[in-house]
Amino acid sequence: MRFAKTLRNSTYKPWEGNYIDYTKLKNLLREHDPQETDDNESAWTEKDEGAFVEELVNVQLEKVHAFQANTYKYLRERTSECESKLEELASHSPDEFKNGEEEATDDQLGRENILRAASTELDAITHEINELEKYSRINFTGFLKAAKKHDRRRGTGYRVRPLLQVRLAALPFNSEDYSPLLYRLSAMYSFIRQNMDDDPNKTQSLSDVRSGGDKYKSHKFWVHPENVLEVKTYILRRLPVLVYNPQTSKIVEAGQKDPTISSLYFDNPRFSLYTQKVGRAADAKSLRLRWSDHLSSKPEILFEKKTIRESDDSEEIRFPIKEKYVQAFIQGTYKLEKSVQKLRDRAGTDAEGVEQLERDVEDIQSFIQQNELQPVLRANYTRTAFQIPGDNRVRISLDTDLALIREDALDTDRPCRDPEEWHRTDIDNLEMVFPFPDVRKGEVSIFPYALLEIKVKDGTSKSTNEWVADLISSHLIKETPRFSKFVHGVAQLFEDQVNSFPFWLSDLELDIRKDPEAAFQEEQEKKAKQAEDEVAVGSFLGSKQGHSFKAAVGSPFGGSPADRHSAGRERYLEARTRLDGDYVVEEDDSDKDVGHGSPTVLSGLHTLIPSLSTSKFARARRRKSIPLPLGVKKPGQLIKDSGPVQVEPKVWLANQRTFIKWQHIAILLASLSLGLYNAADEYNNIARGLAVVYTLIAVFAGVWGWWMFIVRSRMIEERSGKDFDNIVGPIVVCIGLVVALCLNFGFKYHTAITQVHDSSAFNHTDMMMGQVLDAGYVPE
């Protein structure tokens, strides 16, 4: 489907005028101009290029970004209004309305009306959040499509993709995280359902909803190559490197290399599985084959099918298969009968494992046949795993040297893979390794960063959570939620076949390295915002939801409330005081009563007087004895207390040297002008005029040098903070000399030409006289 049609079908009618004007961009690009071909680009001018770039990266991008930001801000405001209405109901129990019959009935009706109105408003907000997420995704894809059309049609002379990536980073409408807002809406929905059912005992926290097996919280990050070693050493202090295989898990032996893993992903020519994952569809599925090392070493191959539920929980089906049976299994002619029979012989006919294997085989094979799946993409990477053997509370994997390779046979004229094979034999038979230099250009994409994934089990100890949280909030890594190798590979290698792209593509052109201080401040802001959202959620769930946030010493949250969104912060403190009596937050001293005077004053002292802090930074600052390098002594007093600041002699000498240089130039020019004047005779007015010009330049140089010496001496005495440089004098002298030399050359050239003409005329006269004499003519 053409993208223009996809854009029309995806347009939300109330926002119709705020989408990217893709038709206008194509008209500016003159895509359908019959008078212009790919070989004739002379009609495309700088003016045309400027008009297209201005429309794409300024007009359209700023329009989309402004609408997304304003709409999201408006949705947050509407959410806050709903919270304020429901907070009044949450502060009063339904039992308070049962004192008088008539009054209670009226109050109860009013309460139900408020709940119904809030529910209707929440439905509208939820709907618009979904539409806003779709709006961001389709516009992001539109900008990338327009840039690609431009760069392909105009060749290498004009490339707009890099500029667009920079502008997308400056106006990141595509990277908004809507999860915190959805979290608040979920809490309000829960509160409304509980009160509409008139059963307050149903109140429960979000943590109570989770039950069943082990739950893990997963975090995905990019790591810059310069930070990979530092990240590894940081993790190695807490977790050992682990080598995993289906038979055993053990600590890696010395000298053993990290395993190379290959994952072969399936999809159909319509890329249905890719579209589901990018669009975050419910029950999105993916299918892959995975093995380690080269196929020549006959590794175990795993067939894996993964389903992502609407709640972000995943369900996996996997079973091993031999290489020689893979093609037959994909075609549906083999159903692992031998493996099923071996398992039945070992475990018995009625064993549960036999039935489960048969169901898994039937599920995956029918999934392949129904969706017409075939291998389309290979991901090859080196994995380093960190985990304590037998302890699965924290599992970390670091993938480096990631290469994404086309494995499809979609182009029948030039297939990347033999349609009769399930994998690329040119890669596996030759045992190619990273970076796969023999693979044709356009069939391989090298990912520039390493991938870090951290999985933390619920209920992990506080000490473990602390060092993991320090790593997550450090400047060494960049968080990329929902990153997928399969999605990224298809977006990079099959961009002509798909009409939707993941949001993280715009970050590939950026430097993901961060300043440590900036990363610290960003993390503090994120924690404060998260704590405020959790308090709002807890107020409706009737629980002490969320943890108290204490800004670290030196963080931007150590200032007064006026320096941080004071109104929202005060609501945060009041709500937290209602929910948790022993809640302590670092806050400045204030005349306002927040409910608990002592804890607040104490925490305010921690902010105003850092010496009371117990943080590592504060303890290091309070140390009395710090070892100094050899030959370095501790100063007895501060520089500001050592009396008036003295100007070093070299400052005066530098000013004097500059003055002497100017006088040197003046003397040279004066000597030149004097010599030129004396050498000229009384009839050479040009030489005398130039001598006068050089004399004037010499006088200006001398006066300028003296004047600047006086001015700079005064500035040094006054310890002025102004700049000491002044470019007027050098420019005047240079221009004067250039003009004088040009005039000198012009006059000399004119004189030489005149002499040549006079000589020619004299020779012509002599020749005429000679001819007359030869003719016998004698004047009387």
Side-chain angles (χ1 to χ4, degrees):
M1 183 185 296
R2 306 288 293 179
F3 178 75
K5 186 176 180 181
T6 302
L7 180 61
R8 288 195 299 270
N9 296 338
S10 304
T11 300
Y12 181 48
K13 294 300 180 182
W15 302 345
E16 189 171 6
N18 296 287
Y19 284 78
I20 180 176
D21 196 341
Y22 194 70
T23 303
K24 183 177 181 180
L25 291 173
K26 290 201 300 182
N27 292 336
L28 288 174
L29 194 57
R30 300 209 298 269
E31 184 181 17
H32 304 294
D33 190 351
Q35 298 179 353
E36 185 176 355
T37 63
D38 293 338
D39 298 331
N40 179 24
E41 296 186 0
S42 59
W44 185 259
T45 64
E46 292 285 348
K47 184 178 180 181
D48 298 329
E49 177 70 15
F52 179 83
V53 173
E54 173 70 18
E55 184 69 25
L56 177 69
V57 303
N58 289 334
V59 178
Q60 297 295 328
L61 184 56
E62 289 179 1
K63 177 184 72 173
V64 172
H65 174 263
F67 179 78
Q68 189 274 339
N70 294 334
T71 304
Y72 186 57
K73 179 181 178 182
Y74 177 59
L75 292 176
R76 289 184 62 90
E77 291 175 352
R78 290 170 61 182
T79 303
S80 299
E81 291 177 1
C82 286
E83 287 176 345
S84 61
K85 293 178 182 178
L86 295 178
E87 278 178 358
E88 299 178 0
L89 300 182
S91 60
H92 300 286
S93 172
D95 296 335
E96 297 180 10
F97 301 106
K98 297 181 180 179
N99 295 329
E101 267 184 42
E102 297 182 0
E103 184 178 354
T105 303
D106 295 339
D107 291 338
Q108 188 66 27
L109 289 176
R111 182 184 180 89
E112 291 179 358
N113 291 335
I114 293 176
L115 292 174
R116 289 194 183 93
S119 178
T120 304
E121 179 68 7
L122 291 180
D123 291 340
I125 294 174
T126 304
H127 174 70
E128 291 198 5
I129 290 177
N130 291 329
E131 294 297 336
L132 186 60
E133 195 273 336
K134 296 176 184 177
Y135 169 88
S136 301
R137 189 188 323 126
I138 195 67
N139 281 283
F140 176 71
T141 303
F143 283 112
L144 295 184
K145 289 281 187 181
K148 180 186 174 184
K149 281 182 178 292
H150 172 277
D151 293 347
R152 175 182 295 175
R153 185 169 181 80
R154 298 306 163 191
T156 58
Y158 302 100
R159 293 189 61 83
V160 76
R161 180 72 174 264
L163 176 60
L164 177 64
Q165 298 285 11
V166 174
R167 291 289 290 160
L168 283 173
L171 304 174
F173 73 90
N174 58 306
S175 59
E176 188 69 62
D177 184 12
Y178 302 101
S179 299
L181 188 56
L182 294 176
Y183 196 51
R184 295 166 62 183
L185 295 175
S186 175
M188 286 188 281
Y189 271 122
S190 178
F191 175 79
I192 292 174
R193 286 194 300 268
Q194 293 158 11
N195 286 269
M196 291 292 286
D197 294 340
D198 200 16
D199 186 3
N201 294 325
K202 291 184 180 179
T203 301
Q204 57 183 357
S205 65
L206 294 182
S207 59
D208 296 333
V209 178
R210 297 178 180 177
S211 61
D214 295 338
K215 298 291 183 179
Y216 286 87
K217 190 171 185 180
S218 179
H219 308 271
K220 294 184 179 181
F221 306 90
W222 291 352
V223 185
H224 194 277
E226 294 181 2
N227 297 332
V228 169
L229 183 59
E230 189 172 354
V231 171
K232 281 187 176 181
T233 55
Y234 180 88
I235 300 173
L236 283 173
R237 297 189 187 102
R238 283 88 180 173
L239 297 177
V241 177
L242 186 74
V243 173
Y244 174 78
N245 59 58
Q247 286 75 30
T248 181
S249 295
K250 61 181 181 179
I251 299 178
V252 65
E253 298 176 357
Q256 186 170 352
K257 294 183 179 179
D258 293 329
T260 300
I261 298 177
S262 297
S263 296
L264 193 63
Y265 294 95
F266 287 70
D267 210 334
N268 53 39
R270 302 181 303 276
F271 290 94
S272 302
L273 303 187
Y274 166 85
T275 304
Q276 291 177 9
K277 288 185 71 70
V278 173
R280 300 180 185 179
D283 297 339
K285 299 177 177 63
S286 61
L287 183 67
R288 69 177 179 179
L289 285 166
R290 184 165 60 91
W291 68 91
S292 61
D293 207 358
H294 297 288
L295 286 177
S296 58
S297 62
K298 298 188 181 303
E300 182 182 53
I301 302 176
L302 293 177
F303 238 123
E304 298 178 343
K305 176 188 175 185
K306 187 174 183 180
T307 304
I308 305 295
R309 301 299 180 189
E310 191 172 0
S311 59
D312 282 346
D313 293 333
S314 62
E315 176 185 329
E316 291 187 3
I317 298 176
R318 67 176 62 174
F319 56 80
I321 186 173
K322 291 185 178 180
E323 178 186 354
K324 59 183 178 180
Y325 298 132
V326 173
Q327 183 67 15
F329 181 86
I330 295 174
Q331 294 175 349
T333 59
Y334 178 69
K335 296 182 178 295
L336 263 72
E337 291 89 350
K338 294 184 178 181
S339 299
V340 172
Q341 186 60 40
K342 288 181 180 179
L343 183 61
R344 183 178 286 113
D345 294 340
R346 289 198 304 264
T349 305
D350 299 331
E352 182 180 354
V354 177
E355 297 179 358
Q356 183 63 44
L357 178 59
E358 291 178 338
R359 288 195 299 268
D360 293 346
V361 170
E362 181 62 28
D363 186 355
I364 290 183
Q365 198 163 57
S366 61
F367 182 63
I368 294 175
Q369 301 300 325
Q370 292 172 4
N371 294 276
E372 302 176 354
L373 301 181
Q374 59 175 292
V376 295
L377 179 75
R378 176 187 300 215
N380 183 275
Y381 50 92
T382 301
R383 168 159 292 185
T384 306
F386 304 89
Q387 182 182 336
I388 299 175
D391 185 354
N392 61 351
R393 291 177 298 175
V394 178
R395 297 185 297 174
I396 299 178
S397 63
L398 182 64
D399 298 339
T400 55
D401 297 341
L402 173 59
L404 303 163
I405 308 171
R406 289 186 60 164
E407 199 91 11
D408 64 284
L410 302 179
D411 187 356
T412 56
D413 296 331
R414 192 184 180 188
C416 300
R417 167 182 54 82
D418 185 355
E420 301 300 324
E421 297 288 343
W422 63 272
H423 65 102
R424 289 186 62 159
T425 55
D426 58 334
I427 294 177
D428 295 317
N429 292 345
L430 298 177
E431 296 186 356
M432 295 184 187
V433 295
F434 184 87
F436 301 93
D438 296 330
V439 178
R440 290 177 300 209
K441 184 179 180 181
E443 296 181 3
V444 60
S445 174
I446 304 299
F447 190 71
Y449 306 120
L451 299 177
L452 178 70
E453 183 174 8
I454 302 175
K455 293 183 178 180
V456 182
K457 185 178 180 181
D458 287 352
T460 306
S461 63
K462 183 178 179 181
S463 59
T464 301
N465 285 333
E466 285 180 355
W467 74 261
V468 172
D470 289 342
L471 176 61
I472 291 175
S473 61
S474 70
H475 65 286
L476 301 174
I477 56 182
K478 172 181 174 56
E479 187 174 9
T480 51
R482 297 179 178 270
F483 179 82
S484 168
K485 300 183 184 73
F486 168 59
V487 171
H488 183 78
V490 172
Q492 290 287 89
L493 298 173
F494 298 92
E495 57 180 345
D496 291 337
Q497 286 87 354
V498 295
N499 286 327
S500 184
F501 295 110
F503 287 158
W504 60 75
L505 285 184
S506 59
D507 295 334
L508 287 178
E509 304 294 333
L510 305 178
D511 188 354
I512 64 172
R513 291 170 293 185
K514 295 184 289 187
D515 178 69
E517 183 178 355
F520 169 78
Q521 294 179 355
E522 180 181 351
E523 183 63 21
Q524 293 296 306
E525 294 175 359
K526 182 178 178 181
K527 287 181 179 179
K529 185 175 180 295
Q530 182 180 2
E532 184 174 351
D533 290 339
E534 289 180 352
V535 167
V537 169
S539 64
F540 301 112
L541 295 178
S543 64
K544 297 180 180 181
Q545 180 70 22
H547 301 286
S548 61
F549 167 70
K550 297 179 68 177
V553 174
S555 96
F557 291 90
S560 63
D563 297 332
R564 321 175 298 267
H565 311 285
S566 58
R569 189 65 175 165
E570 289 173 4
R571 290 198 305 268
Y572 166 55
L573 292 174
E574 293 173 0
R576 193 59 201 158
T577 304
R578 290 198 309 268
L579 294 173
D580 194 352
D582 57 357
Y583 174 73
V584 178
V585 63
E586 290 187 3
E587 191 65 55
D588 289 345
D589 289 336
S590 175
D591 295 334
K592 298 181 180 180
D593 184 10
V594 294
H596 298 277
S598 299
T600 306
V601 172
L602 178 60
S603 59
L605 291 175
H606 278 295
T607 303
L608 296 175
I609 309 177
S611 61
L612 297 178
S613 175
T614 58
S615 66
K616 294 180 181 180
F617 177 76
R619 291 199 302 269
R621 296 278 295 187
R622 289 197 296 268
R623 290 175 184 170
K624 298 299 182 182
S625 59
I626 300 177
L628 298 175
L630 185 63
V632 179
K633 297 181 180 180
K634 184 177 180 180
Q637 59 181 354
L638 299 177
I639 296 178
K640 67 183 183 65
D641 299 330
S642 59
V645 179
Q646 302 294 328
V647 179
E648 296 186 8
K650 64 180 181 180
V651 178
W652 298 99
L653 296 177
N655 190 28
Q656 293 176 2
R657 283 197 302 271
T658 306
F659 171 70
I660 293 173
K661 288 290 185 180
W662 276 108
Q663 301 310 308
H664 187 201
I665 293 174
I667 292 173
L668 285 178
L669 291 176
S671 301
L672 175 63
S673 61
L674 182 61
L676 183 62
Y677 188 86
N678 292 331
D681 54 26
E682 57 181 349
Y683 302 106
N684 194 346
N685 296 326
I686 297 176
R688 292 192 175 190
L690 290 175
V692 173
V693 172
Y694 286 133
T695 302
L696 295 177
I697 297 175
V699 171
F700 174 81
V703 174
W704 177 265
W706 172 80
W707 172 251
M708 290 307 301
F709 174 74
I710 298 300
V711 171
R712 287 167 178 161
S713 298
R714 188 179 302 115
M715 293 172 65
I716 295 173
E717 291 177 356
E718 297 175 352
R719 286 150 177 89
S720 174
K722 300 179 181 180
D723 293 335
F724 280 68
D725 59 333
N726 195 323
I727 62 174
V728 175
I731 290 178
V732 171
V733 172
C734 291
I735 293 177
L737 290 176
V738 169
V739 171
L741 291 174
C742 291
L743 292 175
N744 189 10
F745 175 79
F747 291 145
K748 285 294 184 181
Y749 180 78
H750 179 72
T751 302
I753 294 298
T754 303
Q755 291 178 354
V756 169
H757 284 298
D758 293 345
S759 177
S760 299
F762 181 75
N763 293 334
H764 180 70
T765 303
D766 289 345
M767 184 178 65
M768 294 295 296
M769 291 295 296
Q771 293 177 354
V772 171
L773 293 175
D774 292 339
Y777 174 76
V778 180
E780 296 180 357

